[in-house]
Amino acid sequence: RCLRLGVTMAKSKFEYVRDFEADDTCLPHCWVVVRLDGRNFHRFAEKHNFAKPNDSRALQLMTKCAQTVMEELEDIVIAYGQSDEYSFVFRRKSNWFKRRASKFMTLVASQFASSYVFYWRDYFEDQPLLYPPGFDGRVVLYPSNQTLKDYLSWRQADCHINNLYNTVFWALIQQSGLTPVQAQERLKGTLAGDKNEILFSQFHINYNDEPQMYRKGTVLVWQKVDEVRTQEVRLPAEMEGEKMTVTRTRTRPVPLYCDLIGDAFWKEHPDILTGEN
Amino acid sequence: RCLRLGVTMAKSKFEYVRDFEADDTCLPHCWVVVRLDGRNFHRFAEKHNFAKPNDSRALQLMTKCAQTVMEELEDIVIAYGQSDEYSFVFRRKSNWFKRRASKFMTLVASQFASSYVFYWRDYFEDQPLLYPPGFDGRVVLYPSNQTLKDYLSWRQADCHINNLYNTVFWALIQQSGLTPVQAQERLKGTLAGDKNEILFSQFHINYNDEPQMYRKGTVLVWQKVDEVRTQEVRLPAEMEGEKMTVTRTRTRPVPLYCDLIGDAFWKEHPDILTGEN
Amino acid sequence: RCLRLGVTMAKSKFEYVRDFEADDTCLPHCWVVVRLDGRNFHRFAEKHNFAKPNDSRALQLMTKCAQTVMEELEDIVIAYGQSDEYSFVFRRKSNWFKRRASKFMTLVASQFASSYVFYWRDYFEDQPLLYPPGFDGRVVLYPSNQTLKDYLSWRQADCHINNLYNTVFWALIQQSGLTPVQAQERLKGTLAGDKNEILFSQFHINYNDEPQMYRKGTVLVWQKVDEVRTQEVRLPAEMEGEKMTVTRTRTRPVPLYCDLIGDAFWKEHPDILTGEN
Amino acid sequence: RCLRLGVTMAKSKFEYVRDFEADDTCLPHCWVVVRLDGRNFHRFAEKHNFAKPNDSRALQLMTKCAQTVMEELEDIVIAYGQSDEYSFVFRRKSNWFKRRASKFMTLVASQFASSYVFYWRDYFEDQPLLYPPGFDGRVVLYPSNQTLKDYLSWRQADCHINNLYNTVFWALIQQSGLTPVQAQERLKGTLAGDKNEILFSQFHINYNDEPQMYRKGTVLVWQKVDEVRTQEVRLPAEMEGEKMTVTRTRTRPVPLYCDLIGDAFWKEHPDILTGEN
C-alpha cells in the first residue's frame, strides 16, 4: 500500500465500515506457522507433465519460492517443504505486522505464488507454464518448542509415508504395467515393511538409497554463505574502473535434506528455537 | 493439495498437532469481503517506471488479475479495484471451503499474485518485471446490504480523494516544475474545490474530463458476453475436420467505470445483492 | 472493578502479560444473543423437589432473574426463556463495553446466577436452597432480523417439542404408573399428533388448554407500567412529612406468554427490531 | 442443561441458526486463566459498609466463593484473589468442555456469583445483602510456565501497589482528618518509599506488619486436609446406630497468604505447573 502519499486525507462518511474489521492478532510468545498447499495440484501436475512419483524440477522450484519468501518477509526462522506444500515458522517473539494472522498468511501465499511464476522458467525450461497456480494457506500457533518440533515431525512423517507409498505405486505402474486401480489394490493393507519388501524383491530398489530430498523433504535454515561476485569497485586513481572479484559473507536460506524428527537436528541448530540467529 | 492419492494413510503419533488449528469460519449470511493491497508498491512503481499519477497498464493488469481470481475461485459476485488495491465480495450464502476465512484470503492473494506475474508481459511489453511482488489481504464481514454498499462507497470515495490529490500534485511537479515537497506544501489545507480550481486555472484541466477509470476505479461484474472462437468441430463425415467459427455466450467478469455510491448502480444490477446471478 | 482509586499507579515489569488478552469484539450491526443454560439442572431439580413436568415456581424465578438482568445491564431489547434456559438479545447497534463478547456473557451469567440465589426464597418458600447453582452461557451473533427471529422461533419450537413430550411422559408415569423406561418406550417414534391423542384419550387432557407459560415459554419485553408507591414527599411546610401515594410510569421488562414464530408478535412490537424503544 | 430427557427430539426448520455459533476453543497446551472482577464494586462496597482500606469479611467471602468454584468446576490448579478480583488457572491440558472459552468463563462467573449471595450471611452477619452483585470475566491464554507465573506476579504486584496506596490514603483520611481530595493530593508523585515513610512517621504503622492477606492477596492451592466428621456409621448389630467420629483425608482448596513472585513458592509447589496433582 504505497501509491498514496503520506498526507492526511479527507475522510468520507463511509469511514465507519473500517470498524467491521476484526482483530486477528496471534497469541504472543507462540510459534506462528504458515502452511501453504498447492490448489488442485493433481491437475496442475498432469497438465505440466510432472515426473512421477517425484519431479525434482517442481520440488526445486517450490524451494526457490520458499527461499524468496524467507528473504522478502521478516522473522521466518525455518521452513519445511515436501510435495506441493511448504511450512514457514516465524520466531516466537516476532512482532511483524503486530502479529496479525491475515498479514502473515496472505503475504506468504502471495509472495510464494508470484515467485512460482517468476522463477518457473529457471526450472522448467522446456515446459511452458500454462496458467497461474493458486495456493491456500493457514496459520497455526504452537505454544511450546515441543509442539513446534512435533508439527515439523508430523509433516516429515507424512512425507515419508506418502513417498514410500508413491514410490511403490508408480513402480508397479511404470515397471510392472499395472493400472492405477490394480496398483492401489496391490498396496491395500500393506505396512511399511511390506512396501520396502516389494520395492526390493520386485524392483531391486533399496528405498533408503532413494534421494534424500524425496524421502525427507526440504528443510530451509539460515546459514552463512560466501558469495563471490564480480563487480566494479571504486579504487585509487591508477586502478580506476577495474572489475574485481569480491567475496562477502551473507546469511541465506539453505536447503538441507535431513531428519527433523530425532534430536540431532535440533542440537546442531540450537539457534532456531532460541530465536537468536 | 492433490499430489497425494485418495487412500487412507498410516497416521503418526504427531497427528495431535492438527488440533492446534483454529476454526475461522465466517459468520453465515454475511457478505465476505477480501481486500488485497500491493506490498511496498511505492518502490515497485518506481522500479518499474509507472507513469504518474496513473499508469493505465498497471491498472489494467490489476483488473486482468482480478478477473482471473473471479473466474478461478467460486462465489465472487462483484469486485472493485483502484490504485494498488482490489476488493472481492463473496455472496452472502457462499459455503465455499465451509466459509473458512483463511481459505478465502489466501486463495485470492495467491491467485492474484501468480496472475500478476503471468500476465505482466501482456501489459508491460517494454518493461521487464524485475522481481515478484507481494500482496497482503484481509477478510472483513458485512452483515447487511447497506454496510456492504457503504464499504464499496468507502473505497470509491477513497479513490476520488486520492486521485484528485495526485492529479494536481503531479501536474504541479510535471508541468510547473515544483519539487514534491513544494507541491505538498502548495496543497496543504486545500479542499476539493480548491484543487479543481488549481487544475483548471493553472493547467486548463477539467477534472471531470479525466478518464473514468482513474476517477472512479474499476468495478467488475458478471455479464453475458458473446465469444467468437474458431475451432475444429466434429461434423458429419463429408465435412470432417473443418474449422468453423463458433459463437457462444458466456458469463464473464466485465469492467465498468461507474459510480457505486448512488442508487443507480444497484438498481441496474439488482442480482448482485440478491445473489441470484 | 472499582475498589481502586482513579489515580495512575506504578506499573510492574509484569505488565506485558496484558497483551495476551485477545480482542473479542462482536461484529458491528449484528444482533448479539446471550443464551444461558442451567448447569446440571436435572440433579438440581431433583434435589429441590421441582414439580414435573413443569414447576411454575422455578419458571417464575428464572423470569425474575431475567428481569433483573434486563434492568441491571444495558441494551437488552427482548429476552426469551423456557425450562432452565434464557436468551437475551442486545440491540444491533449496542456499544456496551465496546461489544466485547466476554463482557456480555459473563455479566449476564453472573447477574442471573446471583439473582437466582437472592430471589430464591420469594418463590420457594418451603424449599430451602441447598447449594448455589451454575449457569453456562454463550454469545451468538445474528446478522439480520430474519435470522434473529428464526433464532427465537427455534427456541420456542424447542419449548413446544419438549413440553409436549414431557407432558405425556409424566402423565404416563404419574397417572398410569409406568416407569420412566416404560414411558420412554411408549413414546418412541410417536409424532406430535400421536402425543396429543394419548393425552386426550388416556388422560382427558387437551394439550392446548395447558398453561401458556408451559407451552410457549416466557417472552420479556419492555413496556410502560404504572407504578404506585407510597412515599414520603417533600411538601410545603404545613403538610410536611406526609406520606402520599405517587404514581409514576416506568418502563419495565414484562412477561408475555405468546407466540413468537408467526408475524403477529413482530407487528405488534415493531420497536424491538428497529431498536427505537 | 438437563431438564430435557436423553431422547432424540424432532427438529424444526429453524435448526439452521445453530450454525451461527462460533467455535471458541482455547489453543491446546496453553494455561487458561479466567479472571473475574466485581461490577461497580465501589458502589457495592459503599452500600454495604465495607471497612476501609480492607474489609476482611469481604475478602474472606470472595475466597469462599473461589473455593466453591474450584470444588464445583474441573481442572483448576491454582487461584489468586485480591480486592474484588479473582483469577482461576485451568491446567494446560484440561479438556473440560472441549476447552470452549465461553464455558470456562461463564461457569466460573455464574458459580462465583451465586456463591457470593449463598454464603453472604456466613461472613456479613449484621449486614444484609441489598441487591445481587455482578462480576465480569475474561479468558486469557498463557503459552508457557514463565508467562503464567508472570501473570500471577502481575496481579500480586498490583495488589501490593494498590494496598500500600490505600493504606496511607485511608490513614490520612481516618486518622489525620484529610478529605479524599486532600489525601490524593498529598500522595501525588510519592514513591513506595515515601508512602512507607508517611505510614511510619505519621501513623506509627510499619507496613510490613500489616496482615499478609491485605499485602499479598490470597492464593488457593489444593492440599490434603484431615476432615473430622461425626456421622452415624453402620456397625455390627450390638452397636447399631451409634455416632462415631470419622477422620478422612480430602484434597481441598486451601488459602495461603504468601509471595508468588519469587521462586520459593513454585519450588514448594512443583505439582501446580507439572499438572500432576
Side-chain angles (χ1 to χ4, degrees), chain A residues 16 61 82 85 93 96 134 136 152-153 155 158 182 193 202 204 208 210 215 220 223 228 240 251 257 259:
Chain A
Y16 83 94
L61 172 57
Q82 53 126 331
E85 74 169 50
K93 302 204 177 168
W96 196 52
D136 77 72
L152 292 167
S153 298
R155 299 323 304 146
D158 183 87
Q182 287 170 331
Q202 206 166 332
H204 313 296
N208 288 324
E210 290 291 292
R215 290 186 295 120
L220 286 172
Q223 285 191 348
V228 181
E240 211 173 311
T251 310
Y257 311 104
D259 178 79

Coordinates of all heavy atoms in Angstrom, one line a residue, chain A residues 16 61 82 85 93 96 134 136 152-153 155 158 182 193 202 204 208 210 215 220 223 228 240 251 257 259:
Chain A
Y16 N -16.9 4.6 8.7 CA -17.3 3.7 9.8 C -17.2 2.2 9.5 O -17.1 1.4 10.4 CB -18.8 4.0 10.2 CG -19.8 3.3 9.3 CD1 -20.4 2.1 9.7 CD2 -20.3 3.9 8.1 CE1 -21.3 1.4 8.9 CE2 -21.2 3.2 7.3 CZ -21.7 2.0 7.7 OH -22.6 1.4 7.0
L61 N 11.7 -25.8 -7.6 CA 11.0 -24.6 -7.8 C 10.3 -24.2 -6.5 O 10.4 -23.0 -6.1 CB 10.0 -24.7 -9.0 CG 9.1 -23.5 -9.2 CD1 9.9 -22.2 -9.3 CD2 8.2 -23.7 -10.4
Q82 N 7.6 -30.3 1.2 CA 7.5 -31.6 0.6 C 6.3 -31.6 -0.3 O 5.4 -30.9 -0.1 CB 7.3 -32.7 1.7 CG 6.2 -32.5 2.6 CD 5.2 -33.6 2.7 OE1 5.0 -34.4 1.8 NE2 4.6 -33.7 3.9
E85 N 3.5 -28.8 -0.7 CA 3.2 -27.9 0.4 C 4.5 -27.4 1.0 O 5.6 -27.9 0.8 CB 2.5 -28.8 1.5 CG 3.5 -29.8 2.2 CD 2.9 -30.4 3.5 OE1 1.7 -30.9 3.4 OE2 3.5 -30.4 4.5
K93 N 8.8 -14.6 19.2 CA 8.5 -13.2 19.6 C 8.4 -12.2 18.4 O 8.5 -11.0 18.6 CB 9.6 -12.8 20.6 CG 9.6 -13.7 21.8 CD 10.1 -13.1 23.1 CE 10.0 -14.2 24.2 NZ 10.8 -13.8 25.4
W96 N 6.1 -8.8 13.7 CA 5.9 -8.4 12.3 C 4.5 -8.1 12.1 O 3.6 -8.9 12.4 CB 6.5 -9.5 11.4 CG 6.7 -9.0 10.0 CD1 7.4 -8.0 9.5 CD2 6.2 -9.7 8.8 NE1 7.4 -7.9 8.2 CE2 6.6 -9.0 7.7 CE3 5.4 -10.9 8.6 CZ2 6.3 -9.4 6.4 CZ3 5.1 -11.2 7.3 CH2 5.6 -10.5 6.2
G134 N -2.7 -21.5 -7.9 CA -3.1 -20.9 -6.6 C -2.6 -21.8 -5.5 O -2.2 -22.9 -5.6
D136 N -3.4 -22.4 -1.2 CA -4.1 -22.0 0.0 C -3.2 -22.0 1.2 O -2.2 -22.7 1.2 CB -5.4 -22.8 0.3 CG -5.1 -24.2 0.8 OD1 -4.7 -24.3 2.0 OD2 -5.2 -25.2 0.1
L152 N 6.6 -30.2 12.9 CA 7.5 -30.4 11.8 C 7.7 -31.9 11.6 O 7.8 -32.4 10.5 CB 8.9 -29.7 12.0 CG 8.8 -28.2 11.9 CD1 10.0 -27.5 12.5 CD2 8.5 -27.7 10.5
S153 N 7.8 -32.7 12.7 CA 7.9 -34.1 12.6 C 6.7 -34.7 11.9 O 6.8 -35.7 11.1 CB 8.0 -34.7 14.0 OG 9.2 -34.3 14.7
R155 N 4.8 -33.3 9.6 CA 4.9 -33.1 8.2 C 6.0 -34.0 7.6 O 5.8 -34.5 6.5 CB 5.3 -31.6 7.8 CG 4.2 -30.6 8.3 CD 2.8 -31.0 8.2 NE 2.4 -31.4 6.9 CZ 1.5 -32.4 6.6 NH1 0.9 -33.1 7.6 NH2 1.2 -32.7 5.4
D158 N 4.6 -37.5 7.4 CA 3.7 -37.5 6.3 C 4.4 -37.7 5.0 O 4.0 -38.4 4.1 CB 2.9 -36.2 6.3 CG 1.8 -36.1 5.3 OD1 0.7 -36.6 5.5 OD2 2.1 -35.6 4.2
Q182 N -5.2 -51.3 -10.1 CA -4.5 -52.5 -9.7 C -3.4 -52.3 -8.7 O -3.3 -53.0 -7.7 CB -3.9 -53.2 -11.0 CG -5.0 -53.9 -11.9 CD -4.3 -54.3 -13.2 OE1 -3.4 -53.7 -13.7 NE2 -4.9 -55.3 -13.8
G193 N 7.0 -52.1 6.0 CA 7.9 -53.3 5.8 C 7.5 -54.0 4.5 O 8.4 -54.3 3.7
Q202 N 11.0 -56.9 -6.0 CA 10.4 -56.9 -7.3 C 11.1 -55.9 -8.2 O 11.2 -56.1 -9.5 CB 8.9 -56.5 -7.2 CG 8.0 -56.9 -8.3 CD 6.5 -56.8 -7.9 OE1 6.2 -56.8 -6.7 NE2 5.7 -56.6 -8.9
H204 N 14.3 -54.3 -7.2 CA 15.7 -54.1 -6.8 C 16.0 -52.7 -6.4 O 17.0 -52.2 -6.6 CB 16.6 -54.5 -8.0 CG 16.2 -55.8 -8.6 ND1 16.3 -57.0 -7.8 CD2 15.7 -56.2 -9.8 CE1 15.9 -58.0 -8.6 NE2 15.5 -57.5 -9.8
N208 N 16.0 -46.9 1.0 CA 16.9 -46.0 1.6 C 18.0 -45.4 0.7 O 18.7 -44.4 1.1 CB 17.6 -46.7 2.8 CG 16.7 -46.9 3.9 OD1 15.8 -46.1 4.2 ND2 16.8 -48.0 4.6
E210 N 17.0 -44.1 -2.2 CA 16.3 -43.1 -2.9 C 16.8 -41.7 -2.5 O 17.3 -41.5 -1.3 CB 14.8 -43.2 -2.6 CG 14.1 -44.4 -3.3 CD 14.1 -44.3 -4.8 OE1 13.4 -43.4 -5.3 OE2 14.8 -45.0 -5.4
R215 N 12.8 -38.5 0.2 CA 12.4 -39.2 1.4 C 12.2 -38.3 2.6 O 11.4 -38.6 3.5 CB 13.4 -40.3 1.7 CG 13.5 -41.4 0.7 CD 14.4 -42.5 1.1 NE 15.8 -42.0 1.1 CZ 16.6 -42.0 2.2 NH1 16.1 -42.4 3.4 NH2 17.8 -41.6 2.1
L220 N 14.7 -25.6 5.2 CA 15.4 -24.4 4.9 C 15.8 -23.7 6.2 O 15.0 -23.4 7.0 CB 14.6 -23.5 4.0 CG 14.4 -23.8 2.6 CD1 13.4 -22.9 1.9 CD2 15.7 -23.8 1.8
Q223 N 21.9 -19.9 6.8 CA 23.3 -20.2 7.0 C 24.2 -19.2 6.4 O 23.8 -18.6 5.4 CB 23.6 -21.6 6.5 CG 23.1 -22.7 7.4 CD 23.6 -24.1 7.0 OE1 24.2 -24.2 5.9 NE2 23.4 -25.0 7.8
V228 N 30.5 -14.9 -4.0 CA 31.5 -14.4 -4.8 C 30.9 -13.6 -6.0 O 30.1 -14.2 -6.7 CB 32.4 -15.5 -5.4 CG1 33.5 -14.9 -6.3 CG2 33.0 -16.3 -4.3
E240 N 41.5 2.8 -11.5 CA 40.1 3.1 -11.5 C 39.3 2.3 -12.5 O 39.8 1.9 -13.6 CB 39.9 4.6 -11.9 CG 38.7 5.2 -11.3 CD 38.7 6.7 -11.6 OE1 39.7 7.3 -11.3 OE2 37.7 7.2 -12.1
T251 N 23.9 -14.2 5.0 CA 23.1 -15.2 5.6 C 22.0 -15.5 4.6 O 21.2 -14.6 4.3 CB 22.6 -14.8 7.0 OG1 23.7 -14.3 7.7 CG2 22.0 -16.0 7.7
Y257 N 18.5 -31.7 3.5 CA 17.6 -32.9 3.3 C 17.9 -33.9 4.4 O 18.5 -34.9 4.2 CB 17.9 -33.5 1.9 CG 17.9 -32.5 0.8 CD1 19.1 -32.1 0.3 CD2 16.7 -31.8 0.4 CE1 19.1 -31.1 -0.7 CE2 16.7 -30.8 -0.5 CZ 17.9 -30.5 -1.1 OH 18.0 -29.5 -2.1
D259 N 16.9 -35.4 8.6 CA 15.9 -35.8 9.6 C 15.6 -34.7 10.6 O 16.5 -34.1 11.1 CB 16.4 -37.1 10.3 CG 15.4 -37.5 11.4 OD1 14.4 -38.1 11.0 OD2 15.6 -37.2 12.6

